[in-house]
Amino acid sequence: MKASAFSYTRASSVVDALELLARHGDQAKVLSGGQSLMPALNLRLSAPELLVDIGAIAELRGVAVENGVLRIGALTRHVDVLRSAEIAKHAPLLTDAIAHVAHPAIRNRGTFGGSLAHADPASELPACVLALDAVLLVRSKNGERRIRAVEFFTGIYETLLSPEELLIAVEIPVAKPNAVHFFHEYSRRKGDYAIVGLAASAIRDGDVLENLRLGYFAVGDKPMLATASEHLTGRPVTASMLADAQTALDAELDPQEDQQASAGMRRYLARQLMARCVSTLLDRQDLATRALV
Ligand SMILES: Cc1cc2nc3c(=O)[nH]c(=O)nc-3n(C[C@H](O)[C@H](O)[C@H](O)COP(=O)(O)OP(=O)(O)OC[C@H]3O[C@@H](n4cnc5c(N)ncnc54)[C@H](O)[C@@H]3O)c2cc1C
């Protein structure tokens, strides 16, 4: 199938892009790396009248660290995230995760902001920004707003972005010296979308975890910050605490069934990921296979 007819314009600046989006509203679509939008157009899942290409706006690209905050421009490509020394140092979770996003050809064009704005519930990066407690900077002609990642994703391919708004950048607090992280996903082949995945971060003090943030993906219609983490913080983790956390996780999950996995399998894998995660964060092999039922 081919895309419906559309007009195309290349924005020369953020101001220019916002002007175009304000003028055309929901008849326009932002084009970043095109790795999700172009397939959607060709399948006629989306049929905008105008594509606003932001690919040439240099101010939307790049990585910087200032006042304890890592800022990643929305147009920063996946490959640049993968290679960034600043990101590897200050948000190593992203470096681990991005290697699982698609294949090199797609990572060469796909962008950080495009992945977040697209909001595929099986995507790695939305779960990472939940785990990292990121703030998303969003701008329209009428001004800027800052949205916490935990509020940004609202459903399958849905976010708080309005048609007139552009995702500008993402801000992430730099990792503290005793910060630990975990990333793992189950997928049929490397580079495929996940069947179930988990991106997590915490502060570790001996056998105690604090500020544990468990960002699950492919377990529902949007990435999920699991509140079951409450069972695992504030005191040395035991096998019984982990079992309680797994039970609590099961209660908050509502996974879908599809060609890749049943809901039951996703629940099982999510519990297993929790055990792997806690065992890795604490370097405790005794917890690795806890409650694999
Ligand atoms: C074969 C294949 C495999 C893939 N596998 C994976 C995978 O395993 N994991 C994964 O996470 N992704 C995967 N992807 C998707 C890939 O990561 C995309 O690059 C990403 O989802 C979208 O980024 P993009 O820059 O290409 O955005 P586009 O395709 O250009 O845009 C996507 C959507 O976001 C909107 N948008 C883009 N940028 C902005 C912005 N700055 N402000 C507001 N709205 C914006 C667009 O209007 C559009 O609706 C895969 C893609 C393909 C083709």
Side-chain angles (χ1 to χ4, degrees):
M1 227 195 287
K2 283 192 175 161
S4 306
F6 56 81
S7 303
Y8 167 93
T9 185
R10 175 167 271 214
S12 56
S13 65
V14 170
V15 173
D16 185 27
L18 295 180
E19 191 65 51
L20 286 160
L21 293 178
R23 203 175 320 141
H24 294 275
D26 61 9
Q27 303 302 316
K29 269 270 178 201
V30 173
L31 174 67
S32 280
Q35 298 304 292
S36 297
L37 183 58
M38 296 318 291
L41 295 185
N42 287 337
L43 291 167
R44 300 207 175 186
L45 298 172
S46 176
E49 288 177 2
L50 175 70
L51 288 194
V52 177
D53 185 350
I54 60 170
I57 306 179
E59 62 194 284
L60 289 177
R61 214 179 279 281
V63 177
V65 183
E66 205 175 318
N67 299 328
V69 173
L70 175 71
R71 181 184 163 112
I72 305 174
L75 209 53
T76 308
R77 296 175 308 155
H78 298 326
V79 65
D80 298 320
V81 172
L82 185 64
R83 291 178 185 160
S84 164
E86 299 281 40
I87 291 177
K89 181 174 176 196
H90 298 297
L93 172 62
L94 289 177
T95 310
D96 285 1
I98 205 95
H100 294 264
V101 175
H103 310 283
I106 288 143
R107 293 201 293 265
N108 285 342
R109 286 183 176 270
T111 66
F112 196 73
S115 179
L116 300 180
H118 187 56
D120 188 317
S123 271
E124 291 81 0
L125 298 179
C128 288
V129 294
L130 290 190
L132 294 170
D133 201 11
V135 171
L136 283 72
L137 267 65
V138 166
R139 202 178 296 162
S140 74
K141 213 182 145 190
N142 299 324
E144 189 164 277
R145 48 186 190 135
R146 301 165 60 82
I147 305 171
R148 285 188 65 199
V150 72
E151 288 153 11
F152 183 73
F153 304 99
T154 54
I156 301 180
Y157 308 123
E158 280 179 11
T159 69
L160 286 181
L161 276 174
S162 77
E164 293 86 30
E165 285 178 316
L166 206 54
L167 177 57
I168 301 289
V170 178
E171 290 184 351
I172 298 167
V174 300
K176 296 200 168 71
N178 51 348
V180 284
H181 72 276
F182 171 87
F183 183 90
H184 192 76
E185 70 178 40
Y186 296 107
S187 59
R188 292 214 177 268
R189 296 168 305 183
K190 184 156 170 38
D192 280 5
Y193 278 101
I195 298 172
V196 177
L198 173 60
S201 73
I203 301 297
R204 178 185 171 183
D205 182 6
D207 261 359
V208 179
L209 295 173
E210 294 292 358
N211 197 23
L212 173 62
R213 297 179 69 86
L214 301 173
Y216 276 94
F217 52 106
V219 293
D221 62 1
K222 56 182 180 173
M224 182 187 100
L225 191 65
T227 59
S229 60
E230 290 164 5
H231 294 266
L232 293 163
T233 54
R235 57 208 163 99
V237 176
T238 61
S240 118
M241 283 165 69
L242 179 54
D244 288 346
Q246 287 172 315
T247 304
L249 175 69
D250 208 51
E252 64 181 317
L253 286 173
D254 185 16
Q256 68 279 24
E257 172 160 359
D258 59 21
Q259 290 165 326
Q260 297 219 75
S262 65
M265 181 174 166
R266 286 200 158 89
R267 286 179 181 281
Y268 171 81
L269 293 176
R271 289 196 302 270
Q272 194 192 37
L273 276 177
M274 179 183 268
R276 267 181 96 148
C277 170
V278 175
S279 140
T280 304
L281 296 181
L282 293 172
D283 203 11
R284 291 254 312 269
Q285 273 312 306
D286 60 306
L287 299 171
T289 54
R290 168 67 222 157
L292 297 184
V293 288

